[in-house]
Amino acid sequence: MDLHLSIDPDQPLAAQLYRQLREAILGGRLQAGERLPPSRYLAERLQVSRKTVSEAYEQLLAEGFTSTRVGSGTFVSSLAQSAAPTRSAATSLLQPAARWRRLPVAPFDSPVQGWRYNFAGGTVSMRRFPLAAWRTSLQYALRQMSQGSGFYAGVQGQPALRQAIARYLALNRAVRCDWQDLLVTQGAQQGLSLLAQVMLEPGDRVAMEEPGYTPARSCFQSAGAEVIGVPVDDEGLRVDLLPANVRLVYVTPSHQFPLGMPMSLARRLALLEWAREHRVLIIEDDYDGEFRFQGRPLEALQSLDRHGLVAYLGTFSKTLYPQQRVGYLLMPPGLHEALVQAKLLGDRHGDSLQQLALAHFMERGEFARHTRRMQRLYAERREHLLLRLQGDLATWLQPIVPMAGIHLAALLRPGVDPERLASEMRSRSIGLDSLAAFYQGPAQAGLLFGFGCIELDDLQAGLDELRLALQAACQ
Ligand SMILES: Cc1ncc(COP(=O)(O)O)c(C=O)c1O
């Protein structure tokens, strides 16, 4: 196969390669069953790193454009080709705006594959979801709706839900909160998107943790911002390395995403002081701090803030389930009106039925009960995972022990070939994210272990398989 591929060194390389290969598949230049060039060969030909090629190949694999056969390489899948005529015609006639063409491919746009051992981040245990209690709340919400006006609801979301969230935040997260300042969103992601929309002009600069939450980075980039990765250490964001002239800083202080350490109190205070001095918005993403396993929680940036500089984001994706798409944004005073306007222009308001049901679920204590139950379950999984990572897997992996959250990161020790490991894991059906997916610049080699949905037996069996994969990736 001699495929023409051209790479612009100033644009994200893996994303370009992925797009060109995808177009070649959809356009029929690469035929079903055809083998893609070995990653080493293609990397040499294009003068890019092998990691770049592997990233593009992994994305194609994750989306079903290709499949792998152990020992013989990567092949164009027949399924992908069947979608070819319509999709390729559409992609060649229309082009999105330039900043969307330059956007690196977000790694989270495809559903979790059917892994036998699923350690993927962002998952929760649906098996444990209290269906009967939720059904009662939904029925209550339906009755409420049937007595409603038949017109749209308020843009900020159902008052009953905002009041329940405000009580919850005050009690559990020590977040000072007037329910009138809460905006109910479609997950934390919509909160990010609204903040990007109202804060950023193309060309603005944004600072965020490196490594960091890739969907947040992509969201700022899609608004035309230049995102600057600021290193983290064991106290969280290096405030002393923040660049000048940024419009906003995005952080995950309760449980740094993806590495897991909390931001120290000293850093929190330093960040607030820095933001005050430079008049910069801080986005505090408190996405899974509900699940704490040791130590006392540190005060949220929002509750330490005296100058209205913090936008606090929360979500029910971890405490309930991600497909529910309910999150919230505690709006800083200066942005209140613009954010409400942006929400109205985007989707007006979320699903009132879900919101009323959730308010009822919280008011009846079901939410607190479920969270407590899950906390015990996750604590057990975390303990077993850490015992293994610090025990028989310690030869290859060095875990970063987090105090909170439902995933943890472990660094790969020298001597393990990450690409071989990835292919060994695939062939053993182990779903584990690589830390590389969360870096903008050069990455530390490591793995992210989500323990939201994996049952204890599978967790142990999956780690047995992982040990075999690690052994094979070292020879
Ligand atoms: C850092 C971070 N923020 C937010 C979220 C949740 O996003 P959403 O509420 O849009 O599901 C996640 C989920 O994995 C996350 O890891």
Side-chain angles (χ1 to χ4, degrees), residues 253-377:
S254 296
H255 182 221
Q256 201 276 330
F257 188 91
L259 297 182
M261 60 285 183
M263 187 187 283
S264 70
L265 185 59
R267 288 281 170 84
R268 289 176 196 231
L269 295 172
L271 177 59
L272 283 165
E273 182 49 26
W274 185 91
R276 188 193 60 76
E277 216 174 279
H278 295 81
R279 294 168 169 258
V280 165
L281 170 73
I282 301 172
I283 302 181
E284 175 173 27
D285 182 355
D286 200 2
Y287 63 103
D288 72 353
E290 281 85 1
F291 299 114
R292 284 201 70 74
F293 305 107
Q294 66 194 65
R296 280 188 43 240
L298 291 166
E299 272 188 276
L301 283 169
Q302 193 278 343
S303 59
L304 294 166
D305 172 28
R306 300 284 170 266
H307 302 281
L309 293 167
V310 177
Y312 178 90
L313 280 177
T315 178
F316 290 93
S317 287
K318 310 288 177 175
T319 42
L320 295 179
Y321 59 100
Q323 289 187 29
Q324 192 181 42
R325 307 311 301 134
V326 182
Y328 47 91
L329 167 56
L330 184 48
M331 300 177 285
L335 304 182
H336 194 123
E337 268 177 44
L339 284 166
V340 172
Q341 188 86 340
K343 170 77 178 161
L344 184 140
L345 295 176
D347 69 344
R348 193 139 191 162
H349 58 75
D351 178 345
S352 295
L353 183 69
Q354 288 289 324
Q355 292 184 16
L356 286 169
L358 184 47
H360 183 259
F361 193 75
M362 292 177 88
E363 280 156 15
R364 285 170 47 109
E366 295 295 349
F367 177 73
R369 220 179 333 276
H370 177 60
T371 314
R372 277 198 302 276
R373 211 178 298 130
M374 297 311 289
Q375 158 91 18
R376 284 195 293 277
L377 187 80

Side-chain angles (χ1 to χ4, degrees), residues 364-433:
R364 285 170 47 109
E366 295 295 349
F367 177 73
R369 220 179 333 276
H370 177 60
T371 314
R372 277 198 302 276
R373 211 178 298 130
M374 297 311 289
Q375 158 91 18
R376 284 195 293 277
L377 187 80
Y378 292 145
E380 190 185 25
R381 290 180 191 169
R382 173 184 178 274
E383 195 185 317
H384 283 263
L385 177 56
L386 279 173
L387 270 175
R388 295 289 302 272
L389 291 174
Q390 292 169 332
D392 64 320
L393 298 170
T395 316
W396 305 281
L397 289 163
Q398 183 188 355
I400 301 171
V401 180
M403 292 188 187
I406 53 175
H407 72 257
L408 63 88
L411 303 179
L412 275 180
R413 295 190 192 276
V416 184
D417 175 349
E419 282 182 34
R420 269 209 53 204
L421 179 61
S423 103
E424 286 287 335
M425 288 193 306
R426 263 198 306 277
S427 67
R428 291 167 198 278
S429 198
I430 307 172
L432 247 172
D433 295 323

